[in-house]
């Protein structure tokens, strides 16, 4: 997660991203997958 | 304590009171934005425009266990002379579909940090149980599964993009 974007890398090395504002309960999502959420990174830049 | 809120004993003791720091001249016809919000032990209550609230019906009550989702939209807005500042907007949705927006018109966006803490404390345990049991969980465009990992649905989601790594 960086600059308000949730980024993932697929098995074929393709990168995908989505704005965190589109993800409800983003904090819970991060908690589920063991991702440390820096609240500063919620801000879209 | 704002008028009308003192009698809401079903939500437990009062924790904090937030009031709109500006003056709302034009009525808001979209998702409601509170001008007064009182946080209690078991939820919060708000009123959109105090001057229009003549009876208790104008106070909307949200218990923590009624909240299904919280979306956080934070971005930078350009100010004068090249400066910029952060703007925050949090959309809360009840299981029944009702929405409310908490934003910077109130200090600390109506105490959003405490609201998130209370809501997520209730939502997390059952979600964790389902996730551990191997169930796929969906957070908007993102689906997570303990075995198969993450999946991002970009078909119907504005604001998504895809690119190949270099």
């Amino acid at each position: 997660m960086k600059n308000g974007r949730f980024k993932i890398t697929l098995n074929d090395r393709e990168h995908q991203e989505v704005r965190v504002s589109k993800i409800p309960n983003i904090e819970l999502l991060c908690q589920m997958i063991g991702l440390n959420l820096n609240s500063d990174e919620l801000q879209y830049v | 304590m704002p008028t009308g809120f003192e009698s809401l004993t079903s939500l437990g003791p009062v924790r904090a009171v937030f009031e709109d720091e500006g003056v709302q001249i034009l009525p808001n016809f979209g998702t409601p934005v509170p001008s007064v919000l009182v946080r209690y032990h078991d939820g919060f209550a708000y009123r959109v425009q105090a001057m229009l609230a003549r009876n208790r019906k104008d106070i909307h009550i949200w218990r923590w266990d009624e909240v299904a989702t919280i979306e956080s939209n934070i971005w930078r807005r350009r100010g004068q002379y090249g400066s910029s500042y952060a703007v925050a907007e949090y959309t809360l949705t009840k299981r029944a579909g009702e929405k409310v927006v908490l934003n910077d018109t109130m200090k600390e966006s109506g105490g959003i940090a405490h609201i998130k803490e209370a809501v997520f404390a209730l939502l997390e345990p059952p979600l964790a149980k389902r996730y551990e049991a191997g169930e796929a969980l969906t957070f908007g465009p993102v689906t997570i599964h303990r075995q198969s990992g993450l999946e991002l649905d970009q078909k119907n989601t504005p604001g998504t993009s895809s690119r190949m790594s270099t």
Side-chain angles (χ1 to χ4, degrees), chain A residues 5-44:
Chain A
R5 297 166 176 87
F6 186 80
K7 302 180 177 185
I8 64 172
T9 304
L10 305 178
N11 289 337
D12 60 4
R13 298 181 66 192
E14 184 186 0
H15 291 216
Q16 292 185 336
E17 65 180 47
V18 61
R19 277 189 67 170
V20 299
S21 61
K22 307 291 180 193
I23 305 174
N25 300 337
I26 181 72
E27 292 87 349
L28 284 179
L29 166 62
C30 292
Q31 203 171 325
M32 292 292 146
I33 61 177
L35 185 68
N36 284 327
L37 174 62
N38 178 352
S39 57
D40 290 341
E41 299 296 350
L42 289 177
Q43 184 175 300
Y44 183 74

Side-chain angles (χ1 to χ4, degrees), chain B:
Chain B
M1 172 69 70
T3 309
F5 288 85
E6 61 280 84
S7 58
L8 300 178
T9 54
S10 63
L11 295 177
V14 172
R15 295 296 189 223
V17 176
F18 297 90
E19 298 196 48
D20 194 335
E21 293 182 327
V23 177
Q24 191 175 351
I25 299 170
L26 299 172
N28 176 29
F29 296 111
T31 303
V33 178
S35 60
V36 180
L37 184 146
V38 178
R39 180 165 51 84
Y40 300 82
H41 182 268
D42 296 325
F44 68 90
Y46 73 86
R47 188 161 53 204
V48 175
Q49 281 184 305
M51 57 188 286
L52 297 177
R54 293 189 181 135
N55 57 49
R56 197 163 167 263
K57 287 180 182 175
D58 293 311
I59 297 175
H60 303 263
I61 297 172
W62 287 53
R63 297 185 63 85
W64 301 138
D65 58 7
E66 291 180 301
V67 184
T69 62
I70 301 176
E71 293 168 3
S72 305
N73 190 13
I74 306 165
W75 71 98
R76 292 201 77 76
R77 179 175 289 165
R78 283 189 184 173
Q80 289 182 320
Y81 312 114
S83 63
S84 66
Y85 56 96
V87 179
E89 190 175 271
Y90 303 91
T91 304
L92 283 67
T93 307
K94 277 187 181 180
R95 296 178 199 282
E98 186 181 342
K99 290 177 185 283
V100 67
V101 169
L102 306 182
N103 61 23
D104 295 330
T105 57
M106 283 188 290
K107 192 179 177 185
E108 300 165 14
S109 297
I112 188 66
H114 288 99
I115 292 173
K116 282 185 174 182
E117 188 180 348
V119 170
F120 292 154
L122 292 177
L123 291 176
E124 194 272 339
L127 276 182
K129 196 175 280 186
R130 289 166 54 194
Y131 185 63
E132 292 298 319
E135 188 178 332
L137 302 178
T138 299
F139 297 78
V142 181
T143 299
I144 59 171
H145 190 273
R146 199 174 174 205
Q147 278 77 43
S148 54
L150 279 160
E151 190 179 309
L152 184 58
D153 176 16
Q154 295 188 298
K155 289 174 188 163
N156 301 310
T157 309
T160 56
S161 64
S162 175
R163 63 179 170 79
M164 293 297 293
S165 61
T166 53

